[in-house]
Amino acid sequence: MRALARLAVTTVLVAAPIAAVTVTTVASAADDPAPVTVLTSTFEDGTVQGWTGRNAEVLANSTTVAHGGTHSLSVTGRTATWNGPSLDVLGTFEKGTSYTISAWVRMADGTDNARLSVERRSGDTASYDTVVGNTAVSNGNWVNLVGHYTLAADVDFLHVYVETASTTGSLYLDDVAISYVPALPIQTDIPSVKDVVTNFPVGAAITGAETVTLHGDLLAMHFNSVTPGNALKWDATEPSENTFTYTQADPLIAYAKAHNMKVRGHTLVWHNQTPSWVFTRADGTAMTGTAADKTLLLSRLENHIRNVAAHYGTTIGTWDVVNEVIDENQSDGLRRSSWYNVTGLDYIRTAFRVAREVAPGAKLCINDYNTNVAAKRDKLYALVSQLKGEGVPIDCVGHQMHINVSWPSMADTEAMIQKFVPLGVEQQITEMDVSIYTNSGESFPTPPADRLLQQAYVYRDMFALFRKYASAITSVTLWGLADDNTWLDTYPVARKDAPLLFDTRLQAKSAYWGVVDPTKIGTTTSPTVSSSPTTSTSPTTSTSPTTSTSPTTSTSPTTSTSPTTSTSPTSGTGACAVTYRVTGNWPGGFQGDVKIANTGAGAISGWKLAWSFAGGQTIAQLWNGSVSQSGTAVTVTNASWNGSIAAGGSQSFGFLGSYTGSNPVPAAFTLNGTTCTVL
């Protein structure tokens, strides 16, 4: 993946955590009930209000600083980063309810990163869940930590606590509040996704929170496949050498078996979420790639796979054997992970060989992100072709498909699928979600209606494409169940995203209808699936962005069969504003994002934006429009499906460019010949 976060809760990380941080709340309806507050700690009564230390730290009521009122909780004498204020919530939290936890934190001196976490225990087994990840705090201001947590299993001990990442400095805590929004029943009068999409299994990545109460009902109704997001990774199954534990994964697998669901195992080998001991010699020193190091590391790898894969036997029918091994910026296309640096390609060969021995009936996959980028898919293709030629038992290629409402193009996605057809491998969509954001600078308090509609069109067109290639695509998995638990809430920045088919209250979105019945979302001018194979025009250079949320290529969307807007530019009042942002930079290249806002009173039907580059920059690829460049002069014209800009509305496009020396931002823009305000 890109990874699921480690919560037994409402969280998912990308071989992405499902994430726990929520900055704002997305309501599913205007009449949503108000949150019900179940606990507050304001410390205004002069006591510590039940808070205790996790070790020998000293907790005291303080009037030195306060976020609200005149009192706060002072925490001093910390001797470890995990020392901090802790509160027993065992009698407060009910299993299956999604709680919002909010706490204000401030350092007494200096700076650090603070985290909001939960410790839960069942018998002698302790587990630690991150609710809010590292957040910068200082002694200069209060910082609000806000996240969601859902208890997924019965426990004997449950505490919420605050810890830091690096230092043991004193800190203050104030105005803690825990609340929940009363649940809505799931909709049982709508079609099941799995009953409508019958070409292949449709799955969801899950944590324990997705298997209980209403979440469990929703999962069982709509999906016939699951992927444990974090519970099968190395750190969860073998935290210390030869000590195997399946306490996180077993309940998820049991749920799948009880509901007759297929299981995708994720993942046996990854460069993240692998304990440091794996790459450490017996004497405690780090491996450097000697022959002895290679032998030791491969033996640990074999032992791990033999134990984990054997534990589940035939229950897990598909394994992501290796995850994210491609780095298209390397001449050989291989990621320089610790696995590679010590063993070369032999860790991949060993992983597949051993997995085949232990799970002879399972489909064995190599999984990666951004495979719709030409450079990435070409390197992956070359690796799979080489290894299959050696007899390495690779059965399938996994395409993660972490995408957004404006990227990638349908042409590039179709080219991604077509690329691997000649290899005779199965292809699976393994971690799909569609972010409502097109760049890291955006943040919405609630998802805009136009973005949710764009998202519905993307889901519609992508699933139509997958169905078109049903002979090659054998599984489609979404990276999460509903918008209340998505890793995109914290990646690439902290903001509330809404990338899935169901909203934060488990109600069907337009995206759901895009998959199940596109007539319910009306006609659209978005690109649809090409009726014949198309050729990708994405870049093949190694300087293209590699993060899973960056747009990569795209030029011309394939022809839509829906009504299209006029491409003959006409304007309302001519008033416009342009926001130009550089969203990624690497030596000699960059990624840009441009937003055109119609600030006039009338609609714009068809647009042409022009500017000049002062630094001699050139555009290599552009998505959501067509580009022409003559010297420094650039003109971008709308695509067939985004030419209309309503009064007060906007359209965006992105591009990849190159430069030599400096990369200054253009000083002026004209839209259909009218000078725009530059924001």
Side-chain angles (χ1 to χ4, degrees):
M1 110 183 166
R2 299 271 13 94
L4 280 171
R6 310 176 164 176
L7 295 184
V9 304
T10 104
T11 51
V12 194
L13 275 180
V14 205
I18 291 172
V21 177
T22 298
V23 178
T24 56
T25 300
V26 176
S28 60
D31 58 352
D32 279 345
V36 176
T37 300
V38 297
L39 184 149
T40 58
S41 292
T42 64
F43 308 106
E44 293 303 306
D45 63 357
T47 74
V48 298
Q49 296 187 343
W51 289 80
T52 60
R54 304 189 70 225
N55 191 25
E57 60 270 46
V58 178
L59 275 62
N61 194 284
S62 173
T63 57
T64 303
V65 292
H67 171 259
T70 58
H71 292 252
S72 66
L73 183 70
S74 167
V75 184
T76 59
R78 301 174 62 234
T79 58
T81 58
W82 54 268
N83 292 173
S86 176
L87 183 67
D88 183 356
V89 293
L90 182 62
T92 302
F93 282 25
E94 294 184 1
K95 186 171 66 174
T97 296
S98 177
Y99 292 95
T100 298
I101 308 173
S102 172
W104 290 86
V105 179
R106 176 174 178 159
M107 298 301 294
D109 295 293
T111 62
D112 203 340
N113 282 291
R115 293 192 292 264
L116 186 62
S117 304
V118 167
E119 178 182 1
R120 53 189 166 86
R121 300 179 197 163
S122 296
D124 296 329
T125 302
S127 300
Y128 305 92
D129 303 320
T130 301
V131 180
V132 180
N134 286 346
T135 305
V137 293
S138 70
N139 63 342
N141 60 285
W142 289 91
V143 174
N144 192 202
L145 305 182
V146 185
H148 288 315
Y149 188 88
T150 300
L151 180 64
D154 293 327
V155 294
D156 306 313
F157 177 99
L158 191 67
H159 278 214
V160 174
Y161 65 96
V162 175
E163 60 185 330
T164 55
S166 304
T167 71
T168 57
S170 300
L171 56 84
Y172 294 98
L173 176 71
D174 201 3
D175 290 338
V176 179
I178 300 177
S179 63
Y180 70 93
V181 175
L184 289 173
I186 68 168
Q187 297 152 293
T188 57
D189 58 347
I190 60 176
S192 165
V193 173
K194 66 184 180 183
D195 291 342
V196 173
V197 182
T198 58
N199 312 76
F200 34 69
V202 183
I206 61 170
T207 65
E210 279 71 49
T211 65
V212 295
T213 59
L214 293 176
H215 288 82
D217 295 340
L218 185 71
L219 180 63
M221 176 177 174
H222 289 285
F223 298 97
N224 50 15
S225 173
V226 296
T227 299
N230 281 310
L232 288 171
K233 295 198 178 95
W234 199 309
D235 59 352
T237 54
E238 192 185 2
S240 59
E241 187 163 12
N242 218 31
T243 299
F244 291 91
T245 175
Y246 305 100
T247 55
Q248 292 186 47
D250 278 355
L252 307 186
I253 307 303
Y255 173 92
K257 291 179 68 175
H259 292 85
N260 197 30
M261 293 176 162
K262 296 180 181 296
V263 181
R264 297 192 77 261
H266 181 82
T267 173
L268 294 172
V269 185
W270 189 33
H271 61 276
N272 283 332
Q273 289 183 246
T274 302
S276 59
W277 66 260
V278 177
F279 308 108
T280 304
R281 302 181 183 117
D283 64 3
T285 59
M287 294 180 179
T288 59
T290 64
D293 288 345
K294 180 175 180 178
T295 299
L296 176 59
L297 185 55
L298 291 179
S299 69
R300 286 173 173 171
L301 173 61
E302 179 167 347
N303 183 61
H304 179 79
I305 294 175
R306 288 195 183 280
N307 278 273
V308 175
H311 178 78
Y312 292 105
T314 59
T315 302
I316 294 182
T318 301
W319 278 101
D320 287 333
V321 178
V322 295
N323 189 57
E324 299 181 2
V325 302
I326 297 297
D327 178 356
E328 68 271 37
N329 294 308
Q330 300 291 338
S331 60
D332 59 5
L334 297 171
R335 182 185 293 277
R336 292 324 194 240
S337 65
S338 295
W339 289 109
Y340 180 85
N341 291 337
V342 175
T343 74
L345 275 179
D346 283 345
Y347 80 97
I348 301 177
R349 298 182 177 109
T350 298
F352 277 98
R353 174 182 61 81
V354 176
R356 174 63 83 228
E357 292 178 15
V358 179
K363 296 295 182 182
L364 307 182
C365 301
I366 183 169
N367 189 49
D368 222 311
Y369 64 93
N370 273 11
T371 51
N372 37 36
V373 179
K376 185 104 176 198
R377 67 172 173 260
D378 288 349
K379 297 293 189 183
L380 179 59
Y381 176 92
L383 176 63
V384 175
S385 180
Q386 174 190 339
L387 293 176
K388 283 186 66 66
E390 297 174 2
V392 176
I394 301 176
D395 300 319
C396 81
V397 170
H399 306 290
Q400 291 187 8
M401 288 295 288
H402 295 291
I403 62 179
N404 67 45
V405 294
S406 67
W407 170 87
S409 70
M410 294 302 298
D412 284 336
T413 307
E414 188 165 25
M416 172 191 80
I417 299 171
Q418 291 173 336
K419 180 72 178 181
F420 293 92
V421 170
L423 289 179
V425 293
E426 294 184 13
Q427 298 183 62
Q428 298 189 359
I429 307 303
T430 58
E431 302 179 20
M432 185 178 183
D433 45 30
V434 182
S435 172
I436 62 172
Y437 297 105
T438 60
N439 63 70
S440 297
E442 294 182 324
S443 182
F444 305 125
T446 57
D450 63 333
R451 292 295 175 94
L452 293 177
L453 191 57
Q454 281 182 272
Q455 181 186 66
Y457 296 149
V458 171
Y459 270 112
R460 177 200 65 185
D461 295 342
M462 286 295 175
F463 267 77
L465 179 65
F466 300 154
R467 288 176 173 121
K468 175 182 174 182
Y469 285 90
S471 60
I473 301 292
T474 59
S475 176
V476 175
T477 297
L478 303 180
W479 205 243
L481 173 64
D483 290 343
D484 65 333
N485 186 11
T486 167
W487 72 289
L488 290 174
D489 282 354
T490 57
Y491 182 90
V493 296
R495 61 190 174 185
K496 189 71 193 87
D497 210 327
L500 299 164
L501 304 185
F502 301 93
D503 66 17
T504 58
R505 303 197 65 203
L506 312 188
Q507 305 300 291
K509 296 162 53 183
S510 295
Y512 159 85
W513 292 108
V515 173
V516 169
D517 184 358
T519 65
K520 294 287 178 35
I521 58 174
T523 58
T524 172
T525 56
S526 69
T528 58
V529 179
S530 150
S531 59
S532 58
T534 57
T535 303
S536 166
T537 54
S538 56
T540 57
T541 63
S542 62
T543 56
S544 57
T546 57
T547 59
S548 67
T549 55
S550 316
T552 51
T553 78
S554 135
T555 54
S556 37
T558 53
T559 305
S560 170
T561 56
S562 306
T564 58
T565 57
S566 167
T567 56
S568 204
T570 60
S571 63
T573 64
C576 54
V578 173
T579 304
Y580 177 104
R581 296 285 185 268
V582 174
T583 58
N585 236 312
W586 54 95
F590 70 106
Q591 179 179 322
D593 181 87
V594 179
K595 176 182 177 182
I596 307 168
N598 180 2
T599 57
I604 296 173
S605 181
W607 51 264
K608 182 179 292 185
L609 187 72
W611 74 87
S612 291
F613 277 130
Q617 303 98 317
T618 57
I619 292 179
Q621 301 90 29
L622 183 138
W623 50 94
N624 293 350
S626 299
V627 63
S628 63
Q629 183 168 357
S630 177
T632 61
V634 178
T635 301
V636 177
T637 305
N638 64 271
S640 62
W641 50 273
N642 66 353
S644 178
I645 311 179
S650 65
Q651 294 286 359
S652 298
F653 61 86
F655 63 88
L656 300 178
S658 60
Y659 67 94
T660 302
S662 62
N663 184 21
V665 172
F669 297 84
T670 60
L671 183 68
N672 298 342
T674 299
T675 300
C676 298
T677 301
V678 180
L679 301 178

